[in-house]
């Protein structure tokens, strides 16, 4: 028997809801009152799952508040939904069609409810996002500083750089305090940092953007980070297996850290040497090292979680 699913197309101002299979469609404002009205409609229609696309943060309030109101929710990848709609013959794009396709996609893929992260996890993610923004701004301002010649411009840039450095240090301190104050995070921190080259920012990014680490299989965590090779075979042809998708933040930092860790860790160093001896391209070696490091970190996180559960 098919479930009753509500697909919600999210924008800055509106929530367009389509309930499948009844075909009910309504528009609500993307605020507390509108979200409450959406929850009331879901109760009346017997909705079992509300599914919305990840829309750059505009979906966050609706997702969290609906869970607080007792309505189970899940998130869908917008690109996957769009391709599904095109495969179903819907080349046109309207809010109603998008909401209907989200519900249809959720039914076809048998999406399940995704419980919201805890408050501490949300705060850590927010702090890590802000730290990444400040770091990027620092890079831009320092590049401008190196090219500046006018003394007034230099003084202005120095002032901005000093402010960003202070903010960066403050954010790093708050993140470190959060990790130290949480017993499980502190245990994971110790496990991750047993690998030379894995430092504060790597640990914080993994905990903020890859909280599933240690909870799921090596194969699943590698795919989640976008480091799993994608098969590209047809008939007798065996094509190259690229990587794509996944979470870019953890993947990017793993590329950097794996290269450093391979200088000190004998297993990673030997693994890199085998790939080099086999004549593998540099990018293939970079990806393989990052994948290998993630598998090691996942195993360490799994062991750390088990030890923590036994101790508590």
């Amino acid at each position: 028997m098919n479930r009753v699913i509500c697909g919600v197309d999210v924008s800055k101002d509106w929530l367009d809801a389509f309930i499948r299979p009844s075909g009910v469609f309504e528009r609500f404002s993307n605020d507390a009152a509108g979200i409450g009205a959406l929850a009331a409609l879901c109760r009346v229609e017997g909705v079992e799952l509300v599914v919305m696309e990840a829309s750059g943060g505009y979906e966050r309030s609706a997702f969290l508040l609906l869970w607080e109101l007792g309505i189970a929710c899940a998130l869908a990848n917008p690109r996957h939904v769009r391709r599904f709609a095109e495969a179903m013959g819907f080349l046109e794009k309207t809010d109603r069609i998008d909401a209907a396709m989200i519900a249809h996609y959720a039914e076809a893929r048998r999406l399940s409810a995704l419980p919201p992260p805890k408050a501490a996890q949300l705060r850590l993610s927010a702090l890590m996002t802000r730290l990444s923004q400040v770091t990027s701004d620092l890079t831009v301002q320092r590049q401008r500083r190196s090219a500046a010649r006018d003394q007034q411009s230099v003084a202005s840039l120095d002032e901005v750089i000093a402010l960003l450095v202070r903010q960066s240090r403050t954010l790093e301190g708050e993140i470190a305090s959060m990790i130290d104050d949480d017993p499980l995070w502190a245990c994971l921190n110790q496990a991750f940092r047993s690998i030379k080259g894995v430092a504060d920012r790597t640990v914080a990014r993994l905990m903020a953007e890859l909280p599933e680490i240690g909870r799921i299989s090596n194969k699943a965590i590698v795919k989640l980070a976008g480091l799993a090779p994608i098969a590209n075979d047809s008939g007798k042809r065996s094509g190259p297996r690229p990587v794509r998708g996944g979470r870019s933040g953890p993947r990017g930092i793993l590329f950097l850290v794996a290269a450093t860790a391979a200088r000190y860790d004998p297993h990673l160093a030997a693994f890199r040497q085998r790939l080099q001896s086999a004549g593998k391209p540099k990018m293939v070696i970079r990806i393989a090292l990052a994948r290998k490091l993630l598998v090691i970190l996942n195993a360490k996180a799994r062991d750390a979680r088990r030890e923590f559960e036994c101790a508590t």
Side-chain angles (χ1 to χ4, degrees):
M1 182 177 178
N2 292 334
R3 296 178 295 171
V4 179
I5 298 176
C6 177
V8 179
D9 183 50
V10 181
S11 65
K12 182 179 179 180
D13 298 317
W14 304 106
L15 301 171
D16 294 287
F18 184 97
I19 298 177
R20 183 181 175 91
S22 67
V24 173
F25 174 79
E26 286 194 33
R27 165 172 279 192
F28 305 92
S29 57
N30 192 358
D31 55 25
I35 296 167
L38 171 59
L41 174 66
C42 289
R43 293 192 190 96
V44 169
E45 295 291 329
V47 169
E48 300 169 57
L49 181 68
V50 173
V51 182
M52 58 193 77
E53 294 175 329
S55 303
Y58 291 135
E59 80 289 349
R60 189 172 298 122
S61 295
F63 182 82
L64 295 175
L65 189 51
L66 283 172
W67 269 107
E68 289 181 11
L69 295 172
I71 307 296
C73 300
L75 295 176
N77 185 308
R79 183 180 61 184
H80 294 173
V81 175
R82 186 64 246 161
R83 289 183 176 177
F84 176 81
E86 291 172 355
M88 297 300 295
F90 288 89
L91 302 182
E92 60 271 45
K93 191 177 188 304
T94 68
D95 295 331
R96 183 187 183 110
I97 291 174
D98 287 350
M101 285 298 104
I102 292 170
H104 195 176
Y105 172 82
E107 181 184 47
R109 285 295 308 274
R110 299 182 183 276
L111 294 186
S112 56
L114 176 68
K118 296 180 180 179
Q121 183 69 49
L122 287 172
R123 183 165 182 265
L124 179 63
S125 298
L127 290 174
M128 202 59 219
T129 298
R130 181 56 190 152
L131 179 58
S132 298
Q133 294 168 347
V134 170
T135 302
S136 297
D137 291 343
L138 259 174
T139 300
V140 172
Q141 298 304 323
R142 283 171 173 160
Q143 289 172 344
R144 291 173 178 168
R145 172 66 173 78
S146 65
R149 296 293 178 265
D150 178 71
Q151 290 301 315
Q152 187 173 357
S153 298
V154 169
S156 175
L157 287 165
D158 285 341
E159 185 177 347
V160 173
I161 290 170
L163 171 63
L164 292 172
V165 168
R166 288 196 301 272
Q167 288 192 357
S168 177
R169 289 173 179 168
T170 299
L171 289 165
E172 287 174 346
E174 290 180 8
I175 290 169
S177 296
M178 283 194 70
I179 292 173
D180 290 340
D181 292 342
D182 187 288
L184 176 58
W185 284 353
C187 187
L188 290 173
N189 179 40
Q190 185 177 3
F192 292 154
R193 290 170 69 93
S194 65
I195 299 176
K196 193 169 183 180
V198 177
D200 297 343
R201 289 208 182 190
T202 306
V203 173
R205 188 173 288 279
L206 289 174
M207 291 183 181
E209 300 181 20
L210 209 60
E212 299 89 349
I213 194 164
R215 291 197 181 106
I216 58 180
S217 68
N218 292 337
K219 185 176 180 180
I221 199 73
V222 164
K223 188 173 183 180
L224 203 58
L227 288 169
I230 300 172
N232 184 24
D233 304 334
S234 179
K236 295 181 179 180
R237 183 183 69 86
S238 180
R241 301 194 168 195
V243 296
R244 67 172 184 265
R247 299 178 188 173
S248 59
R251 182 173 63 252
I253 203 165
L254 284 168
F255 280 141
L256 298 174
V257 174
T260 303
R263 299 175 190 170
Y264 306 102
D265 187 281
H267 299 293
L268 286 173
F271 178 65
R272 180 173 61 182
Q273 184 59 47
R274 287 198 302 273
L275 294 175
Q276 289 173 341
S277 300
K280 298 295 184 183
K282 289 184 178 179
M283 181 53 75
V284 171
I285 295 174
R286 285 189 66 201
I287 294 170
L289 274 175
R291 182 164 58 243
K292 186 81 167 178
L293 176 60
L294 180 56
V295 168
I296 293 171
L297 291 170
N298 193 51
K300 286 184 175 292
R302 184 166 54 244
D303 293 342
R305 289 182 186 278
R306 287 172 181 169
E307 290 178 7
F308 178 79
E309 290 171 0
C310 291
T312 55

